[in-house]
Amino acid sequence: MFTKLNPRELSKNPVIFITAVVSVLTTVLAVIHLVTGEPGGVFGLEVSLWLWLAVLSATFAEALAEGYGKARADSLRSAKAETPVRLLASASAAPDSAQIVPSSSLRAGQYVHVAAGDLIPTDAEVVEGVASIDESAITGESAPVIRESGGDRSSVTGGTRVVSDWLVLRVTAEPGGSFLDRMIALVEGAERQKTPNEIALNILLAGLSLIFVLVVVTLRMFAGYSGATLSVISLGALFVTLIPTTIGGLLSAIGIAGMSRLIKANVIAKSGRAVEAAGDVDTLLLDKTGTITFGNRMADALIPAPGVLPQDLSAAAWLASQADDTPEGKSIVTLVEAQSRSHPELPAGATAVPFTAQTRLSGLDLPDGTRIRKGAVDAVRRLTGGDLPAALQTRVDDIARSGGTPLLVASDTRVLGAIHLKDVVKPGVRDRFAELRAMGIRTVMITGDNPLTAAAIAAEAGVDDFLAEATPEMKLDLIRKEQSGGRLVAMCGDGSNDAPALAQADVGVAMNSGTTAAKEAANLIDLDSDPTKLIEIVMVGKQLLISRGALTTFSIANDVAKYFAILPAILVAAYPGLASLNVMRLASPESAILSAVIFNALVIVALIPLALKGVAYRPSSAADLLRRNLTIYGAGGLVVPFIGIKAIDLALVALHLA
Amino acid sequence: MQTLLVDLVYLAVLTLLAVPLGHYMHRVYEGELPRGARVLRPVEHWLCRAGGPGTLKPQGWQAYALAMLAFNAAGFVLLYAILRLQAVLPMNPGQIAPLSPALAFNTAISFVTNTNWQAYSGEAQLSPFSQMMGLTVQNFLSAGTGMAVAVAVVRGLTGPKSQTIGNFWVDLIRSVLYILLPMSVVFAVFLAWQGIPQTFGPAVTATTLEGARQAIPVGPVAGQIAIKMLGTNGGGYYGVNAAHPFENPTIMADMVQTLSILLIPAAFCVTFGKMARDMRQGRAIFIAMLVMFVAGLAVIQWQEAAGNPLLHLAGANMEGKEQRFGPALSGLWAAATTVASNGSVNAMHDSFMPLSGLVMLVNMEVGEVIFGGVGAGLYGILLYVVLAVFLAGLMVGRTPEYLGRKIERREVTLAVIAFLAMALGILVAGAVVATLPAGQAAVSNPGPHGLSQILYAYSSFTGNNGSAFAGFNAADPLQAILGGVIMMLGRFAMILPLLALAGSMARKVPASATAGSFPTHGPLFVTLLVGTVILLGALTFFPALALGPVAEQVGLVAGQSY
């Protein structure tokens, strides 16, 4: 915190830098007054003390905000141990021909061999082998994940550990450039650069400070014309209380705290710009699977064929799914057990018939020779021959039309009925989308399903639009089309074929489980690989911007009260009648000036928790948000300092300090 | 009661006239001329051809700004030459001598920048040629410049994504040819009917009450007055401006002239709404302006009607006012002329009550954005809109945007530059003058009233208003030169950043509004905009005002006058 008092550090923040300069000036003047015995020395020191406190509060806020990131960086650094690795001459070289080298010497393009128990030395691509990897050091998720060559699960991250089997890796990161290195730098704030909006705000604050330089300097000249000499210390106090020290002091803390909130949510932002952009997002592209629906289709209903008892159908469906380990199969078992509470015993001697690509059926052969089968409609019909009963056919068509998948269950050649498999929309997403709509964000569902299915799910989930039978090119086109209308687009993805769209999107979130290409293209990485995070990221972005705006408004509105405290105090020397501007009835000119500078310093301290936590944000329309925040921070900013300054003045008088 | 009625009728007629005029202006700038105006089209085409091919292509903001600067520089040189050479130029029946270099500089700048500060006394120091070919021509052209810039700025904010913001020559020609000229002709005829002279005849002589013979010069007055009012110029034919019976002969003429001050500025709000394809945007700005105007007007009317408590007289403050107009019409004119950077007067502002003076100062110091100058008021308030949206816009959780365009680093920087220029012109120049002995000598009263005079003068220069607290001697060379420089600063340090801002906004893709975008219409935004204007204005100028009119007022309450 005190290292931040270094002038070079301070100069990054124009408002606080000017405050420090004025503090030095008033301190020096106060000391000169004390030495020469001129009056006002003690008062000058008191004022200077509080001016310094404002500077310290600002640096303290920043140090506090950085605390969380630093702690997280330390834990990450422990995963980045120096280990010996087995370097292979080529991808196909035998493991025992490996040369042992330190992990820090690895270069991109080299091949290494890792086996169970080894730490993955750096970011790499699997070229051979399958292994389970413990990624908890990075994601905090303890369940191991499978990594294998080819496809979208071929990238491994430095710092993770091989739990079983072995892999041959091709190193993709140069020393110091691995994902882990970048993450450490990012969470530590070493690479923190001011974001575009933060820069713009800083310019405005610097401009306002410059205007107040003119105001205060010319005030001394105007007072001179009016026959009064204003002391530099009083003018310094007026100046510091006028410039937006509150927001100036807390601005960088707000930014760092916003990044920390993301880190806590296990999201790594590769740039602050992306976090800001997240607040601006107009269109969210959401993958259907995993975000809107559970990953798999689930059994939703059983429809008996005419003349079949429901319990016969459930029993057959239950039996046919016993050997089916797919999520669909399990969901049929679950459905039957939930519906009937009782289920048939699995007869001893029954043989499971697994799904094959040829029959496209699965089921069970009972000891009595009965063959229970389930499968897609055409596969079962091929087995049973002939048309379905008209009533069942209608129901099957209805299921298909509603976006579901019908399965048929047959016992030998008799069709018992249908199972309605459907994409189950996650509970709560509908409300979430309604919230997003209220915030003015359009949601577009991306799915590989046919338009019919997509439309049904879109309607059920309450998204605004959908892109069916989506290909990576279509995604990219959609993003470009939205952007050409001036809208900002956010999306998440994990596959290599998502990379172009992730790069094109204003906010691209890559799943940590995804490919290196996707992670390179994205500007945010979700370590939990949870696509619904996108919505949280948008909220964090909005909260960041709101916190900045609220404190800026508050800071500027505060100035009115400060004028009414300090101006009458210093201008009565010119015209005693101006004492009538002392609407707060502050005890004396000295106590008025002191109260204002004390309030100015204390308000920074008081607002640190708000800056770190962020202004409370409830999703609602911009008009509602504006009304609410303008009332709290605008009107509040006008009123609060009148009360605060008066209270401090009363306290000063009570304590005989002024 | 009568005052209230006058004010209400005034505001109602203003609003009723502004709407159709705003629609008409929109059609003019879009090039879709109404039938009646089409007769002037050949003139436009002829003027446009005069520049040669290629000059009429859409311009980027730099080219637009360069054309505007070149045109204004040429106008300055020409006017300066006329004022210095008027003795040898024709139409000088009164054998009037040339203006001194300092005064000619000040006057030329003053008319080119649409300030029309009169450091000279028109009828005594200027020949009819100088008035007509010099001042009146500049009255049209400086007003046209302001209107053109406003249209270009609005185009940048509201048009489709583009590298260009229109063409200065086209905008200028259309402003003058289709809007200012026809309106001035009609208005001049009306004024002549009311009794304002429009003649090249010799001075008329009159016998005063004391029996002295007085020669009152006359000239082509009505024509000059028409554009002086409509173009928010304010530089009258006579030194005492619209307090002169030949410049403001009847109550009817007075009312209509007061109306004409705010007419085009108010109509620009409507034009803006049309160009934004969202009338609510223009309406919000109009209402914000109206609210601020009415608030100031109410203070003036109240203060002037209440009169000076030290005089122990029942009745209004009549010092410096024409008996014919009384406090109501004088107060209304004073409010209108200070908000609109017109600067014409029908009473002596120096003699108004301190709080009325405070209101007039604030009207100018916020940057002439309450209706403001023709065009200048609109682009001025858009500067505040940008600042207000940037400050409060973050509170809705998005990068601030106005009309679908993001306000980013470049726009904020430009807005801050323009804003700094205002503080520089009023505070720094005012403080320098207040400190220099030569500056202190220019005021007629010591103490806070003298400071008010200085502040008024430099607020008037910076805001390109042109009205004065009468006691201030602006004709001495220091004031003439410094004043001229500050008028230029107030005009171009505002126009250039705003054109740059328009150019930068034009290059952005406008996004359509959603429930998440910052609403820039409706009462909430009006409150925010008014709050920003008042707060930023108050924060910048309150300390100086405290030592001027505020000190004067508290002294007055305590029984002391300055």
Side-chain angles (χ1 to χ4, degrees), chain B residues 304-330:
Chain B
E304 297 312 303
N308 189 335
L310 295 190
L311 295 177
H312 303 293
L313 293 171
N317 171 31
M318 282 302 293
E319 182 194 314
K321 294 190 178 64
E322 284 283 285
Q323 201 66 45
R324 320 177 272 150
F325 300 133
L329 291 179
S330 304

Side-chain angles (χ1 to χ4, degrees), chain B residues 28-336:
Chain B
V28 166
Y29 290 120
E30 295 290 307
E32 304 157 8
L33 287 182
R35 199 176 298 271
R38 277 183 214 148
V39 294
L40 290 170
R41 181 147 259 172
V43 186
E44 182 191 349
H45 286 178
W46 179 78
L47 280 169
C48 286
R49 266 201 310 276
T55 47
L56 299 177
K57 281 210 280 281
Q59 295 165 312
W61 79 265
Q62 294 99 330
Y64 199 102
L66 215 60
M68 183 275 304
L69 282 179
F71 180 72
N72 277 268
F76 165 77
V77 170
L78 188 67
L79 183 54
Y80 182 82
I82 290 176
L83 296 175
R84 295 283 294 138
L85 299 174
Q86 61 179 352
V88 295
L89 288 169
M91 284 183 7
N92 188 3
Q95 309 278 304
I96 293 171
L99 239 45
S100 73
L103 208 51
F105 169 80
N106 183 287
T107 306
I109 295 279
S110 169
F111 277 75
V112 167
T113 58
N114 197 247
T115 310
N116 307 36
W117 173 277
Q118 292 176 276
Y120 60 91
S121 186
E123 69 272 40
Q125 286 177 284
L126 294 182
S127 72
F129 183 85
S130 296
Q131 296 258 27
M132 256 178 80
M133 303 314 286
L135 303 190
T136 306
V137 166
Q138 269 309 319
N139 277 350
F140 278 101
L141 299 181
S142 67
T145 299
M147 293 166 78
V149 169
V151 171
V153 169
V154 173
R155 227 178 254 136
L157 291 175
T158 61
K161 179 181 189 304
S162 167
Q163 298 294 320
T164 58
I165 55 171
N167 182 287
F168 174 71
W169 308 109
V170 173
D171 290 341
L172 176 74
I173 290 168
R174 288 185 177 164
S175 302
V176 175
L177 191 62
Y178 297 119
I179 301 166
L180 293 173
L181 262 179
M183 287 177 74
S184 297
V185 169
V186 174
F187 194 35
V189 169
F190 165 82
L191 291 173
W193 167 58
Q194 286 294 310
I196 294 183
Q198 177 75 11
T199 168
F200 291 108
V204 292
T205 50
T207 310
T208 67
L209 285 178
E210 292 89 18
R213 283 178 65 77
Q214 185 187 3
I216 307 168
V218 290
V221 186
Q224 189 178 330
I225 301 311
I227 183 62
K228 152 200 154 189
M229 304 310 294
L230 285 169
T232 56
N233 290 291
Y237 198 90
Y238 297 96
V240 295
N241 214 294
H244 197 291
F246 279 174
E247 199 157 327
N248 193 0
T250 62
I251 298 295
M252 171 88 117
D254 182 87
M255 279 296 281
V256 177
Q257 284 195 55
T258 319
L259 197 65
S260 66
I261 296 177
L262 296 187
L263 187 54
I264 293 178
F268 252 112
C269 298
V270 180
T271 308
F272 171 66
K274 285 290 280 182
M275 288 179 77
R277 291 168 304 278
D278 182 359
M279 289 308 287
R280 296 175 309 171
Q281 304 291 348
R283 194 177 57 200
I285 287 182
F286 179 81
I287 292 174
M289 288 174 164
L290 195 67
V291 166
M292 292 187 277
F293 175 67
V294 168
L297 177 64
V299 173
I300 294 179
Q301 297 289 32
W302 161 57
Q303 281 290 303
E304 297 312 303
N308 189 335
L310 295 190
L311 295 177
H312 303 293
L313 293 171
N317 171 31
M318 282 302 293
E319 182 194 314
K321 294 190 178 64
E322 284 283 285
Q323 201 66 45
R324 320 177 272 150
F325 300 133
L329 291 179
S330 304
L332 182 60
W333 187 299

Side-chain angles (χ1 to χ4, degrees), chain B residues 445-509:
Chain B
N445 305 61
H449 192 75
L451 188 63
S452 297
Q453 289 178 348
I454 295 172
L455 284 175
Y456 195 102
Y458 280 85
S459 302
S460 180
F461 293 148
T462 310
N464 299 130
N465 182 290
S467 68
F469 260 16
F472 187 73
N473 174 17
D476 76 69
L478 167 78
Q479 305 300 337
I481 302 288
L482 183 62
V485 171
I486 298 298
M487 283 187 257
M488 269 199 284
L489 177 88
R491 180 77 164 175
F492 299 110
M494 189 88 156
I495 287 182
L496 293 178
L498 270 156
L499 281 177
L501 192 144
S504 142
M505 290 294 252
R507 285 193 292 271
K508 301 181 191 214
V509 183

